[in-house]
Amino acid sequence: MNNSQFDKIKNGKGFIAALDQSGGSTPKALAEYGVLEDSYSGEDEMFDRVHQMRTRIITSPAFSADHILGAILFEQTMDREIEGKYTADYLADKGIVPFLKVDKGLAEQENGVQLMKPIHDLDETLRRANERKIFGTKMRSVIHEPNTSGIKAVVDQQFEVGKRIVNSDLIPIIEPEVNIHSENKEKSEEILRDEIIKHLNDLSENENVMLKLSIPTKANAYKELIEHPRVIRVVALSGGYSRDEANEKLKENDGLIASFSRALAADLNANQSEEEFNKALKSAVDTIYDASVNKK
């Protein structure tokens, strides 16, 4: 565990950039960036293109440690290089803490939720993450309805895997997303909060986690989680809100910082000049930073 990185994530001012679109979401992310499916053939070329996009973001002067605490990477990005360095090393040299997405996607919906698919190679992935100097991990489930047994199953699974990650000397970001379009979102969030608190209270003093949650319907609904001694930081996903909408909702929640993906990259395009690209990224970074740091 890198103590200076731990301190930055726990106490630093800024937000975490999510650059971890994978598999099924990659063609969509590329299309939004202006790289259409007919401009590449096959998965290898697709991942080359997405790495070019991520490299352009990460190497931009706008992508700086002054505003960005950490970045979440896709597994392939961890194994690739930026300007002759492994991605995590490049980020660390910039003062940005590297995280790795470790889940394998979502299972089919059952009991109003989608659990994570089994992560068969988790131990090997965690070993490689340590080798590549990754600080922490991220894994996502989704809650669609306020189904108590479904939400309990999501949180149980997240913490079960989370403890294995802690035992590998990495910090897990536990991400039970609540679908922002679901009915009774607020009720789901109440059940979720109570289930998470039960698990947090069972952790020992040397077991620490981060949480990544949808911005709650009721402002400061997650105050108890943010203040819990076992929680290093609570970060928020944009969840499909526009950047402006996500930022406005984020500002209402004390202590909650952003970990946005689409809301970060929405105005970036492959056809922009360097000046246009850096200006668009700087504008996004500045507004997300402001919403994370300056509260209403």
Side-chain angles (χ1 to χ4, degrees), residues 233-261:
R233 206 76 189 244
V234 182
V235 303
L237 55 112
S238 49
Y241 290 127
S242 71
R243 184 190 308 136
D244 289 347
E245 204 175 356
N247 284 338
E248 283 308 305
K249 290 177 184 296
L250 188 63
K251 282 179 188 174
E252 295 170 356
N253 289 272
D254 297 329
L256 188 65
I257 67 170
S259 176
F260 294 171
S261 171

Side-chain angles (χ1 to χ4, degrees), residues 10-24:
K10 186 171 177 59
N11 301 310
K13 282 189 170 185
F15 68 95
I16 291 177
L19 305 175
D20 59 332
Q21 304 94 339
S22 61

Side-chain angles (χ1 to χ4, degrees), residues 36-92:
L36 302 179
E37 282 195 58
D38 60 7
S39 68
Y40 55 86
S41 61
E43 205 171 69
D44 289 349
E45 211 172 308
M46 176 182 79
F47 284 123
D48 287 345
R49 290 299 183 90
V50 86
H51 188 65
Q52 288 165 12
M53 176 182 81
R54 288 172 180 147
T55 296
R56 196 179 188 194
I57 292 170
I58 290 169
T59 55
S60 169
F63 198 84
S64 87
D66 296 340
H67 293 81
I68 297 167
L69 302 175
I72 305 168
L73 307 175
F74 170 50
E75 193 173 343
Q76 276 209 20
T77 312
M78 173 181 80
D79 290 325
R80 288 183 182 240
E81 294 185 353
I82 292 177
E83 294 182 357
K85 299 175 187 173
Y86 281 116
T87 306
D89 291 328
Y90 187 92
L91 285 167

